[in-house]
Amino acid sequence: MAEQRRDQRDGRGAGGGAQDVPEPWRRSVRAEEAHAWEELVATARRTVADGLVVGTSGNVSVRVDDTVLVTPSGVPYDRLTPDDVTGVDLDGRPVLGRLVPTSELPMHLAIYRATDAGAVVHTHAVHATAVSTLVPELPAIHYMSGALGGAVRVAPYATYGTEELAENMLHALDGRTGCLLRNHGTVTYGATLDQAYDRSAQLEWMCRLWLTASSVPGLSPTLLSEEQVTEAGERLRGYGQRK
């Protein structure tokens, strides 16, 4: 496995030339893309440091105009360098770099096509994934549900990397900025990488909170009403420092 990852990192994986981006699609990296790639790599490494993913699971993307920068498939985040920038257009055609994009590219592109997202974070966070196997939506255990647009739905299971999974995810995201993927993980998006990441971290925390509260024998956690979550969401839109 380590050899396979090294091979892909060096562009020598199975399929040989299939690792290379076709010459007509390659172009030089613009300054704003180089800066966005630096932030993307930092965010990807943060998902590992904070325990939201293990190894190369999960993926991160950011949109710069009509180009989507995305983590490459199977490459440990601590090995990514400025030379590894990987980008596609909104149709999924490679425009930057020589590494193969994440296998979950259909999910990322589906969000960018359907929303005004500036960044997407996909994780395999353990508590959120556990909740995805238990309920059709995360119970309203905390007002931070409002930060994601309301009750967090669970998208039906589909094989990773497929258009079916992307379609299931979009239905679960209707009116939301985050959802759970059954037996798989989480997806959140935001205007920036920081916002998308924060929503992933908050979602994992709420799942852990619900699992903890639900584990007390003979007791059930109190839940918030839809109206309470909506009110909290409205207040949260004005949260933080004004710029």
Side-chain angles (χ1 to χ4, degrees):
M1 180 63 72
E3 280 187 331
Q4 286 180 330
R5 288 173 178 165
R6 281 197 296 272
D7 287 347
Q8 182 158 0
R9 170 68 172 76
D10 295 333
R12 299 191 300 269
Q19 299 293 326
D20 293 341
V21 174
E23 190 72 40
W25 291 107
R26 257 186 257 135
R27 62 170 173 77
S28 59
V29 180
R30 303 184 181 108
E32 61 269 29
E33 292 167 339
H35 178 67
W37 177 254
E38 182 180 345
E39 292 186 332
L40 179 148
V41 171
T43 300
R45 290 173 178 169
R46 189 178 176 190
T47 64
V48 177
D50 291 352
L52 298 181
V53 304
V54 176
T56 61
S57 66
N59 27 78
V60 178
S61 69
V62 62
R63 181 173 178 173
V64 181
D65 297 325
D66 289 332
T67 298
V68 175
L69 305 181
V70 63
T71 47
S73 177
V75 181
Y77 301 141
D78 61 359
R79 297 186 190 176
L80 292 175
T81 73
D83 294 333
D84 295 321
V85 60
T86 303
V88 301
D89 64 19
L90 291 174
D91 292 321
R93 293 176 295 193
V95 295
L96 290 173
R98 301 175 64 90
L99 296 179
V100 176
T102 173
S103 58
E104 296 292 9
L105 186 60
M107 284 203 306
H108 291 259
L109 294 180
I111 291 175
Y112 290 119
R113 292 172 188 145
T115 73
D116 60 355
V120 176
V121 174
H122 165 51
T123 82
H124 291 180
V126 63
H127 298 95
T129 305
V131 171
S132 79
T133 70
L134 298 172
V135 290
E137 69 177 29
L138 173 65
I141 190 73
H142 194 272
Y143 67 78
M144 283 304 293
S145 297
L148 299 177
V152 180
R153 307 183 188 103
V154 179
Y157 179 81
T159 304
Y160 79 92
T162 62
E163 294 292 342
E164 180 185 6
L165 177 59
E167 183 176 349
N168 291 350
M169 172 204 67
L170 280 184
H171 286 302
L173 282 176
D174 185 25
R176 305 289 185 268
T177 55
C179 72
L180 301 178
L181 307 173
R182 190 172 302 283
N183 297 87
H184 186 153
T186 72
V187 175
T188 59
Y189 70 87
T192 64
L193 280 164
D194 282 344
Q195 187 178 59
Y197 178 84
D198 183 66
R199 287 170 174 169
S200 286
Q202 291 288 353
L203 179 52
E204 167 66 357
W205 180 83
M206 285 190 293
C207 287
R208 183 178 182 182
L209 174 64
W210 181 72
L211 288 171
T212 301
S214 300
S215 68
V216 180
L219 296 175
S220 297
T222 58
L223 301 176
L224 301 178
S225 67
E226 182 177 347
E227 292 74 17
Q228 288 171 322
V229 172
T230 299
E231 181 182 2
E234 293 172 352
R235 291 178 63 87
L236 285 167
R237 276 194 284 274
Y239 178 77
Q241 299 297 316
R242 307 295 194 273
K243 292 185 178 180

